[in-house]
Amino acid sequence: MRAADRLVAETVRRGGPWLAVLAVTSVLGAFAQLALPLVLGRTVDALVADGTGAATWLGACAGVVILTVACDTLGVWASGSSGARSSAWLRERVVRGVLGIGPAITRRFPEGELVTRMGLNTEEIGRVPESLVTGAALVIPTAGGVVALTLIDPLLTATLVVGLVLIAFVLRSFLTVSTAIASDYQAAQGDIAARLVDALAGARTIAAAGTADRERARVLTALPLLRRHAMAMWRANARAGVQAGAVVPLLEVAVLGVGGLRLAAGDLTAGELYAAARYVVLGAGLGSALGYVGRLARARAAATRVDELVAESPRAYGTRPLPPGPGTLELRGVDAGGLREVDLVIPGGQAVAVVGRSGAGKSLLAAVAGRLVDPRHGTVHLDGVPLPELSREALRRAVGYAFERPVLLGDTVAAAIALGTDTPARTPGTGRHGRRRTGDGRVEQPGANREVVRAAARAARADTFVRRLPLGYDTPLREAPMSGGERQRLGLARAFAQGRRLLILDDATSSLDTVTEHQVARTLSGELRDRTRLIVTHRVATAAAADRVIWLDDGRVRACGSHHALWADPAYRAVFQAGAS
């Protein structure tokens, strides 16, 4: 738990200035609570006597009450603001780290689990500043109650201290038990979220197969376990509440009994006895910290889960620029997941097809080639420079990726294509990202970037259908219904706009019709022939059009050569027959 506690402490420090406001209001409110019994006691004594000074003490009572209400009101505002600031800082840190690690993180944590940790769990940690400050402020009335009772009568203090020791043991035990239960509860939440995300990704398949009921049962498999942990948390909370709550009335009875005897003996006044009774309630108010302890327990459990993400090392980049070169790609002794002992040299400017049966390692080879995944052993060089030594900017300018199912990001179609490309300097009237809004509210791409976007779209044969959209390139993505083939064309355009030296196409033309695929193939062998092209494919025509073919089998390079030469091997022909089936 030490790493988790450090993360919690760091989150608390990120609460900003509102955390200081919360601390001040909590302390002032605690002192106001301490002052109220004293002021009320003095008021009672003044009224019981001759009434002298009663008006003054009544005014003091009103002032203390107003201060208490003001502190509570401002404290609620400061609590929400500091919690939101802490949560935002933690979410930004976690999201930056997860995106910095790249797709490798999903091999350890399913997408739904990641969403749960970055959403619900960070939110629970973000509530810690308010819980810690407000809970810690309860020590003030407790300590003040002990001091005040000592000044009134030391015998009353001894009674209170015994009760406080019992309450402290209850809180400590509750923190330990609740942290363990909360950890199990959050794990069950993550399991349900992971199953739900998988189901949503396959919603069309589930509907087509008519297996919605079966899938619903699979998603909710962990629901009984979640309920069991929730009930365990409720029982632990109820048990601790009963234990802590039972102490308070017992203390009040004991103090009133002892105080009554002292009053009868003339050692206490009526006002002092009333104040003593109130101070016992304040002193035993430490038992009301149960809710704050419960939040802290959930936050510690959540911090353990979030720390597993934070502890992952983001991919490190070097500082070297990419020297001039044709885009020669070299893999030397690469081992990565399913790839084993891969040695390849792909000359710059060549179109190389990667083929193999399902599971042979084609997509993994594509990921390693552009450093979406780092190999466990071996090195990958682009024009003689190891990829880890390149700066992030140099690598992403040089390499463009297109995938089978591209995810389009950005406000508009143009922004989705321009993602990852260089942003030109701002011009007057443009926003902070170099974009200009037109009179009808559309987001307009800068001129230089707009030309790159349109050229890439034309190369991917996407320009025609984009122009038919309601606002053309400025059409918001959510308002641009597209087929799978059209999405693939935008994915290709994005890769063409970004990859200046190496294009990696991972089955990126599988949804294109034959005519469009032929046109894209002509573009790859024509205007884009100055770039190295690594093309993962299942299609014979694509392999036949490539300069070379890399044939993968069970994570190893089985052969490398021209499609015509490899076609003589029946096992090679069977690769495409299996893909067609």
Side-chain angles (χ1 to χ4, degrees):
M1 296 297 297
R2 290 183 179 178
D5 289 340
R6 285 195 296 269
L7 181 61
V8 169
E10 180 64 20
T11 304
V12 171
R13 286 195 291 270
R14 300 290 178 165
W18 281 108
L19 185 60
V21 174
L22 177 61
V24 171
T25 55
S26 298
V27 170
L28 285 178
F31 278 113
Q33 291 180 38
L34 273 176
L36 187 58
L38 173 63
V39 173
L40 285 173
R42 295 294 187 183
T43 304
V44 169
D45 285 341
L47 292 173
V48 170
D50 55 0
T52 304
T56 301
W57 287 111
L58 283 172
C61 286
V64 171
V65 170
I66 292 173
L67 177 61
T68 302
V69 172
C71 287
D72 286 345
T73 303
L74 189 56
V76 169
W77 183 276
S79 171
S81 299
S82 61
R85 189 183 183 95
S86 296
S87 297
W89 170 82
L90 184 57
R91 279 206 181 100
E92 182 179 353
R93 179 181 176 185
V94 175
V95 170
R96 188 188 305 115
V98 168
L99 295 180
I101 294 167
I105 191 71
T106 58
R107 292 194 174 94
R108 182 178 175 189
F109 303 102
E111 287 87 347
E113 178 73 27
L114 286 173
V115 170
T116 301
R117 296 188 186 216
M118 291 188 288
L120 288 175
N121 294 156
T122 55
E123 182 69 24
E124 289 178 304
I125 301 171
R127 298 192 188 111
V128 168
E130 184 263 341
S131 299
L132 279 180
V133 172
T134 310
L138 292 175
V139 175
I140 296 175
T142 298
V146 171
V147 172
L149 283 178
T150 303
L151 294 175
I152 295 172
D153 195 316
L155 288 178
L156 303 179
T157 305
T159 307
L160 177 60
V161 169
V162 172
L164 290 179
V165 170
L166 294 176
I167 292 175
F169 274 116
V170 171
L171 293 178
R172 181 179 179 182
S173 175
F174 178 65
L175 177 62
T176 303
V177 173
S178 296
T179 300
I181 298 174
S183 179
D184 294 336
Y185 182 86
Q186 291 163 359
Q189 278 184 318
D191 183 33
I192 293 176
R195 293 168 185 264
L196 178 60
V197 169
D198 290 342
L200 292 175
R204 288 191 301 178
T205 302
I206 293 168
T211 58
D213 291 339
R214 187 189 311 167
E215 192 62 23
R216 186 184 305 112
R218 186 188 71 83
V219 170
L220 299 179
T221 297
L223 195 58
L225 183 63
L226 188 72
R227 180 182 181 277
R228 188 156 59 247
H229 294 319
M231 292 300 294
M233 176 68 76
W234 180 86
R235 283 191 292 268
N237 192 77
R239 183 167 53 251
V242 169
Q243 292 170 347
V247 175
V248 177
L250 291 176
L251 280 175
E252 286 188 272
V253 170
V255 168
L256 286 174
V258 174
L261 294 175
R262 302 291 285 172
L263 177 65
D267 296 323
L268 288 180
T269 66
E272 287 175 331
L273 179 59
Y274 173 79
R278 293 294 303 161
Y279 279 125
V280 169
V281 175
L282 284 177
L286 192 62
S288 65
L290 202 63
Y292 301 115
V293 172
R295 291 185 205 170
L296 180 59
R298 292 193 296 273
R300 293 179 77 214
T304 301
R305 292 164 53 79
V306 172
D307 184 68
E308 290 180 348
L309 302 181
V310 176
E312 292 280 336
S313 300
R315 184 184 294 109
Y317 291 88
T319 58
R320 293 181 60 180
L322 195 62
T328 300
L329 184 66
E330 301 175 64
L331 287 77
R332 302 174 183 172
V334 167
D335 282 356
L339 293 178
R340 299 192 297 277
E341 301 175 10
V342 174
D343 287 288
L344 286 171
V345 177
I346 300 176
Q350 281 200 353
V352 177
V354 181
V355 304
R357 294 180 181 272
S358 178
K362 302 183 297 297
S363 292
L364 185 55
L365 177 65
V368 169
R371 213 194 166 203
L372 289 184
V373 174
D374 284 328
R376 289 197 304 261
H377 304 290
T379 57
V380 183
H381 297 72
L382 183 60
D383 283 327
V385 181
L387 294 188
E389 296 182 13
L390 288 173
S391 68
R392 183 196 301 267
E393 293 75 17
L395 178 64
R396 294 310 165 208
R397 279 199 303 267
V399 182
Y401 264 100
F403 303 99
E404 180 183 5
R405 297 181 181 87
V407 176
L408 303 178
L409 304 173
D411 297 330
T412 64
V413 173
I417 297 174
L419 185 72
T421 59
D422 293 335
T423 302
R426 271 201 282 172
T427 55
T430 61
R432 58 192 293 258
H433 298 293
R435 292 176 297 204
R436 186 194 305 269
R437 287 197 175 272
T438 60
D440 57 3
R442 291 182 290 134
V443 177
E444 188 177 82
Q445 290 293 119
N449 218 20
R450 175 64 66 109
E451 290 307 314
V452 171
V453 166
R454 286 179 173 172
R458 286 193 294 268
R461 298 301 185 266
D463 180 70
T464 302
F465 86 80
V466 170
R467 287 180 179 275
R468 288 200 299 265
L469 293 173
L471 297 177
Y473 285 90
D474 293 318
T475 303
L477 278 176
R478 63 180 180 276
E479 299 175 13
M482 288 177 281
S483 66
E486 289 169 338
R487 294 182 72 87
Q488 275 199 341
R489 280 185 269 174
L490 289 186
L492 287 166
R494 181 173 61 195
F496 296 164
Q498 182 176 4
R500 311 283 179 80
R501 199 168 300 192
L502 173 62
L503 295 175
I504 300 176
L505 279 54
D506 188 358
D507 211 13
T509 60
S510 58
S511 296
L512 302 185
D513 60 83
T514 304
V515 173
T516 303
E517 184 184 18
H518 180 66
Q519 293 172 337
V520 171
R522 282 196 305 175
T523 299
L524 290 171
S525 60
E527 61 186 276
L528 300 177
R529 63 180 179 274
D530 59 328
R531 310 181 196 185
T532 305
R533 290 140 287 158
L534 188 67
I535 308 168
V536 175
T537 184
H538 295 91
R539 295 187 176 181
V540 176
T542 304
D547 298 314
R548 299 171 64 199
V549 175
I550 297 172
W551 177 14
L552 291 181
D553 187 14
D554 195 23
R556 299 177 184 272
V557 177
R558 179 163 176 174
C560 186
S562 69
H563 173 75
H564 178 74
L566 294 175
W567 191 255
D569 190 333
Y572 177 76
R573 296 197 297 272
V575 169
F576 298 98
Q577 293 167 358
S581 62

